[in-house]
Amino acid sequence: MLRVIRSTVHGLDIDTEFEDDFADAVEAGELLRETYSEDKHGQKSLSIEVRAYTDPEGQNRFAVLWTDTSEVDWRDTDSYPEARTAYEEMVRETVKGADIEVDEDGNEKPLFAATDVPGVGGYEDGSEDAGDAEAFMLLAEWATVEAEEAQRIATEKAQARQTAYALAIDAFGRGGNAVLARRVGKSEPTVKDIADRGRTILEAQHKEQFSVSLYEDNAGGLYLQRDGDTTVWFMGAGAEHTCGPFVDDATAWRDGDWQPNENDGQTPGYGMDTASLTHIATWSTKEGLDVVEGPSAGPAAGAAGGIYLDIED
């Protein structure tokens, strides 16, 4: 349905405060079809156009523009066939309502200097084909973009469901598959399959976002803390010689091949405040190793930290 977006003869179907924004967007759009007359100076005095444009709300649309020296009537629609029909009707109705002019030989002068509307004076056979073809090409491009966006959204929603199933089943614990299957009205094998895919996604996210920081105390003690965890692990006496290097330990922790644990001699500090420690390095999947600089532009690490980081002088 055609929507009035600028007019001196009709009320607008948009908020008037956005009229100029719509008009600017239309004028910047792509011209598809055009009919116009000329004054005695060869300047356009009346034009009727179809333009493809993106409105200020981000919607791809087709505008039909009737523009005279003192009046405008601009409308738009998301349907090219509707825009084309309205455009051709405007051209024909304009011809019907115009005063007939004749030349010095008594021949009727066509109202328009150029038009691509069949049956109207000044029409050239097939002149509408290029505009129609471009319009349908644009529709195909817009539809492709919309389909790709819809697929992206559908994929995100599917993955969100998969991870939600995984987290719900793990939270339920023993018998979680059966509990969730009853809740969502699916079979246990189906629920388990969805949740397994969710766990794969969660594991990939965990690896991508994984980060661990390394701290050192005044006595050369070393501490590890994974991002998002409140537990700070003391690595134990002489850890700089018996563990590491730091990057190897951090990578193994991310991959699930190792993590600080009391059986290996590490001690957990639950909710420990790291304010009294010196942050000497961070390793993350995205950024790799980042060694913190100290006040003298060298590494902030002490002797033990330098050994564990494998940055000895």
Side-chain angles (χ1 to χ4, degrees), residues 163 166-167 170 197-207:
T163 57
L167 293 170
D170 292 345
R197 279 178 276 167
R199 292 188 182 94
T200 300
I201 294 169
L202 289 170
E203 178 61 23
Q205 291 174 347
H206 165 76
K207 288 186 176 181

Side-chain angles (χ1 to χ4, degrees), residues 36 38 53 79 128 132 156 172 186 212 232 247 284 291 297:
Y36 62 89
E38 294 179 345
Y53 83 112
S79 166
E128 74 276 20
D132 286 350
E156 287 183 353
F172 281 134
K186 297 183 180 295
V212 58
V232 179
V247 170
S284 68
V291 177

